[in-house]
PDB file of all heavy atoms in Angstrom:
ATOM      1  N   GLY X 104      -3.432 -12.635  17.629  1.00  0.00           N
ATOM      2  CA  GLY X 104      -4.171 -13.552  18.487  1.00  0.00           C
ATOM      3  C   GLY X 104      -4.324 -13.027  19.904  1.00  0.00           C
ATOM      4  O   GLY X 104      -5.416 -13.047  20.484  1.00  0.00           O
ATOM      5  N   VAL X 105      -3.226 -12.524  20.459  1.00  0.00           N
ATOM      6  CA  VAL X 105      -3.268 -12.004  21.829  1.00  0.00           C
ATOM      7  C   VAL X 105      -4.167 -10.775  21.904  1.00  0.00           C
ATOM      8  O   VAL X 105      -5.017 -10.654  22.800  1.00  0.00           O
ATOM      9  CB  VAL X 105      -1.847 -11.668  22.333  1.00  0.00           C
ATOM     10  CG1 VAL X 105      -1.914 -10.993  23.703  1.00  0.00           C
ATOM     11  CG2 VAL X 105      -0.988 -12.925  22.403  1.00  0.00           C
ATOM     12  N   ARG X 106      -3.997  -9.850  20.969  1.00  0.00           N
ATOM     13  CA  ARG X 106      -4.784  -8.617  21.017  1.00  0.00           C
ATOM     14  C   ARG X 106      -6.275  -8.881  20.823  1.00  0.00           C
ATOM     15  O   ARG X 106      -7.117  -8.241  21.457  1.00  0.00           O
ATOM     16  CB  ARG X 106      -4.253  -7.635  19.963  1.00  0.00           C
ATOM     17  CG  ARG X 106      -2.952  -6.981  20.394  1.00  0.00           C
ATOM     18  CD  ARG X 106      -2.309  -6.142  19.314  1.00  0.00           C
ATOM     19  NE  ARG X 106      -1.304  -5.251  19.898  1.00  0.00           N
ATOM     20  CZ  ARG X 106      -0.454  -4.509  19.181  1.00  0.00           C
ATOM     21  NH1 ARG X 106      -0.481  -4.550  17.859  1.00  0.00           N
ATOM     22  NH2 ARG X 106       0.429  -3.731  19.793  1.00  0.00           N
ATOM     23  N   ALA X 107      -6.604  -9.828  19.939  1.00  0.00           N
ATOM     24  CA  ALA X 107      -8.019 -10.153  19.746  1.00  0.00           C
ATOM     25  C   ALA X 107      -8.624 -10.708  21.033  1.00  0.00           C
ATOM     26  O   ALA X 107      -9.763 -10.383  21.391  1.00  0.00           O
ATOM     27  CB  ALA X 107      -8.176 -11.148  18.606  1.00  0.00           C
ATOM     28  N   ARG X 108      -7.853 -11.536  21.742  1.00  0.00           N
ATOM     29  CA  ARG X 108      -8.373 -12.140  22.985  1.00  0.00           C
ATOM     30  C   ARG X 108      -8.398 -11.141  24.138  1.00  0.00           C
ATOM     31  O   ARG X 108      -9.341 -11.128  24.935  1.00  0.00           O
ATOM     32  CB  ARG X 108      -7.511 -13.349  23.372  1.00  0.00           C
ATOM     33  CG  ARG X 108      -7.652 -14.546  22.436  1.00  0.00           C
ATOM     34  CD  ARG X 108      -6.956 -15.773  23.005  1.00  0.00           C
ATOM     35  NE  ARG X 108      -5.514 -15.610  23.134  1.00  0.00           N
ATOM     36  CZ  ARG X 108      -4.634 -15.887  22.174  1.00  0.00           C
ATOM     37  NH1 ARG X 108      -5.058 -16.314  20.985  1.00  0.00           N
ATOM     38  NH2 ARG X 108      -3.341 -15.727  22.376  1.00  0.00           N
ATOM     39  N   VAL X 109      -7.361 -10.317  24.240  1.00  0.00           N
ATOM     40  CA  VAL X 109      -7.224  -9.434  25.401  1.00  0.00           C
ATOM     41  C   VAL X 109      -7.950  -8.106  25.203  1.00  0.00           C
ATOM     42  O   VAL X 109      -8.590  -7.586  26.128  1.00  0.00           O
ATOM     43  CB  VAL X 109      -5.732  -9.183  25.708  1.00  0.00           C
ATOM     44  CG1 VAL X 109      -5.557  -8.155  26.815  1.00  0.00           C
ATOM     45  CG2 VAL X 109      -5.042 -10.491  26.083  1.00  0.00           C
ATOM     46  N   LEU X 110      -7.853  -7.544  23.987  1.00  0.00           N
ATOM     47  CA  LEU X 110      -8.395  -6.201  23.747  1.00  0.00           C
ATOM     48  C   LEU X 110      -9.709  -6.214  22.973  1.00  0.00           C
ATOM     49  O   LEU X 110     -10.452  -5.235  23.031  1.00  0.00           O
ATOM     50  CB  LEU X 110      -7.358  -5.369  22.971  1.00  0.00           C
ATOM     51  CG  LEU X 110      -5.987  -5.225  23.631  1.00  0.00           C
ATOM     52  CD1 LEU X 110      -5.024  -4.517  22.677  1.00  0.00           C
ATOM     53  CD2 LEU X 110      -6.098  -4.470  24.941  1.00  0.00           C
ATOM     54  N   GLY X 111      -9.956  -7.292  22.254  1.00  0.00           N
ATOM     55  CA  GLY X 111     -11.164  -7.369  21.435  1.00  0.00           C
ATOM     56  C   GLY X 111     -10.871  -7.142  19.970  1.00  0.00           C
ATOM     57  O   GLY X 111      -9.866  -6.514  19.606  1.00  0.00           O
ATOM     58  N   ASP X 112     -11.749  -7.636  19.096  1.00  0.00           N
ATOM     59  CA  ASP X 112     -11.545  -7.558  17.650  1.00  0.00           C
ATOM     60  C   ASP X 112     -11.546  -6.125  17.124  1.00  0.00           C
ATOM     61  O   ASP X 112     -10.906  -5.832  16.114  1.00  0.00           O
ATOM     62  CB  ASP X 112     -12.626  -8.353  16.913  1.00  0.00           C
ATOM     63  CG  ASP X 112     -12.270  -9.833  16.793  1.00  0.00           C
ATOM     64  OD1 ASP X 112     -11.071 -10.145  16.742  1.00  0.00           O
ATOM     65  OD2 ASP X 112     -13.193 -10.663  16.751  1.00  0.00           O
ATOM     66  N   ASP X 113     -12.306  -5.237  17.773  1.00  0.00           N
ATOM     67  CA  ASP X 113     -12.458  -3.895  17.224  1.00  0.00           C
ATOM     68  C   ASP X 113     -11.610  -2.851  17.944  1.00  0.00           C
ATOM     69  O   ASP X 113     -11.876  -1.649  17.853  1.00  0.00           O
ATOM     70  CB  ASP X 113     -13.932  -3.483  17.254  1.00  0.00           C
ATOM     71  CG  ASP X 113     -14.524  -3.543  18.662  1.00  0.00           C
ATOM     72  OD1 ASP X 113     -13.827  -4.007  19.573  1.00  0.00           O
ATOM     73  OD2 ASP X 113     -15.684  -3.126  18.822  1.00  0.00           O
ATOM     74  N   HIS X 114     -10.565  -3.301  18.639  1.00  0.00           N
ATOM     75  CA  HIS X 114      -9.620  -2.356  19.250  1.00  0.00           C
ATOM     76  C   HIS X 114      -8.615  -1.905  18.190  1.00  0.00           C
ATOM     77  O   HIS X 114      -8.251  -2.668  17.288  1.00  0.00           O
ATOM     78  CB  HIS X 114      -8.891  -3.038  20.417  1.00  0.00           C
ATOM     79  CG  HIS X 114      -8.067  -2.104  21.256  1.00  0.00           C
ATOM     80  ND1 HIS X 114      -6.810  -1.686  20.894  1.00  0.00           N
ATOM     81  CD2 HIS X 114      -8.328  -1.504  22.454  1.00  0.00           C
ATOM     82  CE1 HIS X 114      -6.321  -0.887  21.821  1.00  0.00           C
ATOM     83  NE2 HIS X 114      -7.231  -0.758  22.770  1.00  0.00           N
ATOM     84  N   LEU X 115      -8.155  -0.668  18.298  1.00  0.00           N
ATOM     85  CA  LEU X 115      -7.215  -0.121  17.312  1.00  0.00           C
ATOM     86  C   LEU X 115      -5.987  -1.004  17.155  1.00  0.00           C
ATOM     87  O   LEU X 115      -5.549  -1.273  16.027  1.00  0.00           O
ATOM     88  CB  LEU X 115      -6.794   1.295  17.729  1.00  0.00           C
ATOM     89  CG  LEU X 115      -5.677   1.933  16.901  1.00  0.00           C
ATOM     90  CD1 LEU X 115      -6.077   2.050  15.438  1.00  0.00           C
ATOM     91  CD2 LEU X 115      -5.298   3.306  17.463  1.00  0.00           C
TER      92      LEU X 115
END
Side-chain angles (χ1 to χ4, degrees):
V105 174
R106 284 173 164 171
R108 291 189 296 272
V109 174
L110 303 174
D112 275 330
D113 57 354
H114 190 279
L115 172 60

